[in-house]
Amino acid sequence: MIVYFKNTLTRKNLMALTGLFLSFFLIIHLLGNLQLLLPEEQARLQYNWYSNFLSTNILVEIIAYVLYGCILAHTIDAIYLRIKSKKANGPRLQYNRRSRASTWYSRNMMFLGIIIFLFLVIHFKDFWYAYKYGGQLPFDENGYKDLYSLVVTAFGELWYVLLYSLAFLALGFHLLHGVFSAHRSLGVYHSFYSRLIKILSLVFAIVITLGYLIIPITIYCKS
């Protein structure tokens, strides 16, 4: 098993590992964002304290840089493997039966990834950059930057809620195939574990997608 793993430590393995790390981050980020659903004043104070803690804690800052590196590595590896796959496959055949053996989202992981990446660029600009370098955010009564108001204002716009929803639906399908295939890339081929991981991947994708979607939709309905 050790020899097998060493011999297959490739870009595909790296993409699997970065993908699983990003999946773990999604859980942590969701737990923090669920604070937005608390009663307004409690949500404002608690979410702003939480945001300040994340931006000032040195350990969290180090993890954040690992996160940024994983996002870039995952994206670059995906592009590399896509190009390599296209070169290996050569010209497309006129009649392609792959759709009978695979799901549409597994065949369109690159397209789903592009939607997610473009959303991340917008999301980082609107929230992370505005919080860290914008310099125009007001402060709450505890003296923390009022990121809560910025988020609620954004989710009060229908176009942003629709954009957010589209991105997380794309993410859900991306996770549905990605989490399962990541374990296959890392060498989990046993029939029992494969079935179990497939079920867990489905549950994980649904919970993460619905968990993130409920936040902007609830805030928009309240506004």
Side-chain angles (χ1 to χ4, degrees), residues 8 11 17 39 42 47 49 78 80 86 103 109 116 122 131 136 141 147 150 156 166 170 179 183 188 194 204 216:
T8 57
R11 280 185 174 272
L17 290 170
Q42 183 183 355
Y47 189 73
W49 174 88
Y80 172 82
K86 280 200 168 187
T103 58
M109 288 291 281
I116 297 164
I122 297 171
Y131 185 84
Q136 297 178 346
E141 61 187 62
L147 182 62
L150 182 64
L166 173 65
V179 173
H183 287 84
V188 180
S194 291
F204 178 73

Side-chain angles (χ1 to χ4, degrees), residues 49-78:
W49 174 88
Y50 167 75
S51 302
N52 180 74
F53 172 77
L54 293 182
S55 65
T56 56
N57 185 285
I58 185 64
L59 180 59
V60 175
E61 284 284 294
I62 293 171
I63 295 173
Y65 284 111
V66 174
L67 172 68
Y68 307 147
C70 283
I71 293 173
L72 289 175
H74 194 74
T75 303
I76 292 169
D77 281 339

Side-chain angles (χ1 to χ4, degrees), residues 57-110:
N57 185 285
I58 185 64
L59 180 59
V60 175
E61 284 284 294
I62 293 171
I63 295 173
Y65 284 111
V66 174
L67 172 68
Y68 307 147
C70 283
I71 293 173
L72 289 175
H74 194 74
T75 303
I76 292 169
D77 281 339
I79 295 170
Y80 172 82
L81 290 171
R82 178 70 171 181
I83 294 171
K84 187 177 178 181
S85 176
K86 280 200 168 187
K87 286 182 178 179
N89 291 334
R92 288 187 178 181
L93 296 176
Q94 262 189 331
Y95 190 62
N96 194 332
R97 294 176 179 267
R98 284 185 305 166
S99 60
R100 296 187 180 183
S102 60
T103 58
W104 69 268
Y105 51 84
S106 66
R107 298 191 305 274
N108 291 280
M109 288 291 281
M110 176 63 74

Side-chain angles (χ1 to χ4, degrees), residues 1 4 12 20-21 32 39 45-46 49 66 91 101 121 125 142 164 168 200 207 217 221:
M1 178 64 74
Y4 176 78
K12 204 167 184 180
L20 290 175
F21 176 81
L45 295 176
Q46 195 162 312
W49 174 88
V66 174
V121 173
K125 180 186 85 63
N142 288 333
Y164 194 95
F168 275 93
L200 292 175
V207 170
I217 292 172
C221 290

Side-chain angles (χ1 to χ4, degrees), residues 79-205:
I79 295 170
Y80 172 82
L81 290 171
R82 178 70 171 181
I83 294 171
K84 187 177 178 181
S85 176
K86 280 200 168 187
K87 286 182 178 179
N89 291 334
R92 288 187 178 181
L93 296 176
Q94 262 189 331
Y95 190 62
N96 194 332
R97 294 176 179 267
R98 284 185 305 166
S99 60
R100 296 187 180 183
S102 60
T103 58
W104 69 268
Y105 51 84
S106 66
R107 298 191 305 274
N108 291 280
M109 288 291 281
M110 176 63 74
F111 176 69
L112 295 171
I114 290 171
I115 294 175
I116 297 164
F117 185 80
L118 291 176
F119 170 75
L120 280 176
V121 173
I122 297 171
H123 195 64
F124 271 85
K125 180 186 85 63
D126 289 346
F127 298 120
W128 178 83
Y129 183 83
Y131 185 84
K132 296 279 284 187
Y133 306 108
Q136 297 178 346
L137 283 180
F139 293 88
D140 65 18
E141 61 187 62
N142 288 333
Y144 299 129
K145 289 183 180 180
D146 193 5
L147 182 62
Y148 171 83
S149 294
L150 182 64
V151 173
V152 169
T153 299
F155 288 157
E157 300 287 340
L158 179 59
W159 72 268
Y160 199 89
V161 173
L162 292 175
L163 174 66
Y164 194 95
S165 300
L166 173 65
F168 275 93
L169 286 172
L171 176 66
F173 285 111
H174 197 80
L175 290 172
L176 188 56
H177 176 72
V179 173
F180 175 71
S181 64
H183 287 84
R184 294 297 296 269
S185 296
L186 294 173
V188 180
Y189 288 103
H190 192 281
S191 58
F192 172 76
Y193 293 115
S194 291
R195 286 195 297 271
L196 179 61
I197 291 169
K198 198 164 189 176
I199 293 170
L200 292 175
S201 299
L202 174 62
V203 173
F204 178 73

